[in-house]
């Protein structure tokens, strides 16, 4: 495991595309190598990542950013994506990537490492539970995107469906 480097950009974008295919979300995939480069290595990087290599080839990655717990009063890591190519699953790479992030939390005194997983993704849910991770029952993820985000961001009235 190592931190992502600029030379990894193309490989990571390809892996994100593979993740989108796995999650049946290719219609949402838009990221370009330039966007990822700026997010990771631009003047104000707010995204971080690690890669897993086998024989010099990047076969897995994490992309993450800092979160903050107002209740705990400390930062945490929000894992945006974790993906290991199917042919390398079961080899310990996913565990090693998550271990790296847990170690980062411990070193920095962060209160938590958290992420979301699709409800139908039983293999990943089982894997996460095997590491001691627990689902957060009673919480629903909300998201503003596209027209609703633009409408609210411009202060142009109420987004669709607002009462």
């Amino acid at each position: 495991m190592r931190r992502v480097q600029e030379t990894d950009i193309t490989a990571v974008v390809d892996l994100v595309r593979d993740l989108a295919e796995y999650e049946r979300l290719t219609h949402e995939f838009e990221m370009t190598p330039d966007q990822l480069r700026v997010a990771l290595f631009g003047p104000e990087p707010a995204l971080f990542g690690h890669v897993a290599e086998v024989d010099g080839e990047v076969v897995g990655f994490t992309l993450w950013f800092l979160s903050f717990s107002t209740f705990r009063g400390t930062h945490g890591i929000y894992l945006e994506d974790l993906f290991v190519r199917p042919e390398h699953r079961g080899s310990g790479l996913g565990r090693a990537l998550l271990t790296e992030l847990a170690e980062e939390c411990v070193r920095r005194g962060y209160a938590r490492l958290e992420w979301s997983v699709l409800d139908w993704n039983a293999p990943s849910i089982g894997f996460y539970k095997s590491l001691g991770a627990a689902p957060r029952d009673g919480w629903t993820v909300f998201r503003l995107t596209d027209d609703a985000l633009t409408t609210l961001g411009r202060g142009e009235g109420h987004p669709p469906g607002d009462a």
Side-chain angles (χ1 to χ4, degrees), residues 33-48:
D34 286 339
Q35 288 173 315
L36 184 58
R37 185 174 287 104
V38 170
L40 287 166
F41 303 106
E44 296 182 39
L47 182 69
F48 309 94

Side-chain angles (χ1 to χ4, degrees), residues 69-127:
S69 170
T70 54
F71 290 1
R72 298 257 183 122
T74 64
H75 283 289
I77 288 178
Y78 187 86
L79 174 61
E80 179 65 20
D81 286 321
L82 171 122
F83 184 76
V84 174
R85 288 194 190 269
E87 62 270 22
H88 295 283
R89 293 185 189 146
S91 66
L93 293 176
R95 180 184 183 90
L97 285 163
L98 281 171
T99 297
E100 186 69 29
L101 294 184
E103 289 173 354
E104 187 98 19
C105 287
V106 170
R107 275 193 306 271
R108 295 181 181 205
Y110 294 167
R112 62 185 174 205
L113 168 59
E114 62 185 349
W115 60 92
S116 297
V117 61
L118 292 166
D119 292 340
W120 59 260
N121 193 346
S124 293
I125 291 168
F127 167 64

Side-chain angles (χ1 to χ4, degrees), residues 3-150:
R3 285 283 184 126
V4 67
Q5 301 168 357
E6 280 198 70
T7 55
D8 300 321
I9 295 293
T10 300
V12 173
V13 170
D14 289 345
L15 287 168
V16 173
R17 185 178 303 108
D18 291 348
L19 172 61
E21 287 176 19
Y22 176 76
E23 291 185 340
R24 306 172 197 150
L25 295 169
T26 53
H27 60 283
E28 293 187 19
F29 179 78
E30 298 176 2
M31 185 175 65
T32 67
D34 286 339
Q35 288 173 315
L36 184 58
R37 185 174 287 104
V38 170
L40 287 166
F41 303 106
E44 296 182 39
L47 182 69
F48 309 94
H50 289 82
V51 295
E53 291 180 299
V54 173
D55 298 327
E57 177 188 3
V58 175
V59 299
F61 76 98
T62 59
L63 291 175
W64 55 276
F65 52 89
L66 294 181
S67 61
F68 188 81
S69 170
T70 54
F71 290 1
R72 298 257 183 122
T74 64
H75 283 289
I77 288 178
Y78 187 86
L79 174 61
E80 179 65 20
D81 286 321
L82 171 122
F83 184 76
V84 174
R85 288 194 190 269
E87 62 270 22
H88 295 283
R89 293 185 189 146
S91 66
L93 293 176
R95 180 184 183 90
L97 285 163
L98 281 171
T99 297
E100 186 69 29
L101 294 184
E103 289 173 354
E104 187 98 19
C105 287
V106 170
R107 275 193 306 271
R108 295 181 181 205
Y110 294 167
R112 62 185 174 205
L113 168 59
E114 62 185 349
W115 60 92
S116 297
V117 61
L118 292 166
D119 292 340
W120 59 260
N121 193 346
S124 293
I125 291 168
F127 167 64
Y128 298 144
K129 286 182 176 181
S130 78
L131 299 176
R136 292 290 307 219
D137 293 333
W139 291 83
T140 301
V141 175
F142 280 84
R143 180 178 292 169
L144 279 171
T145 62
D146 304 320
D147 291 342
L149 177 64
T150 302

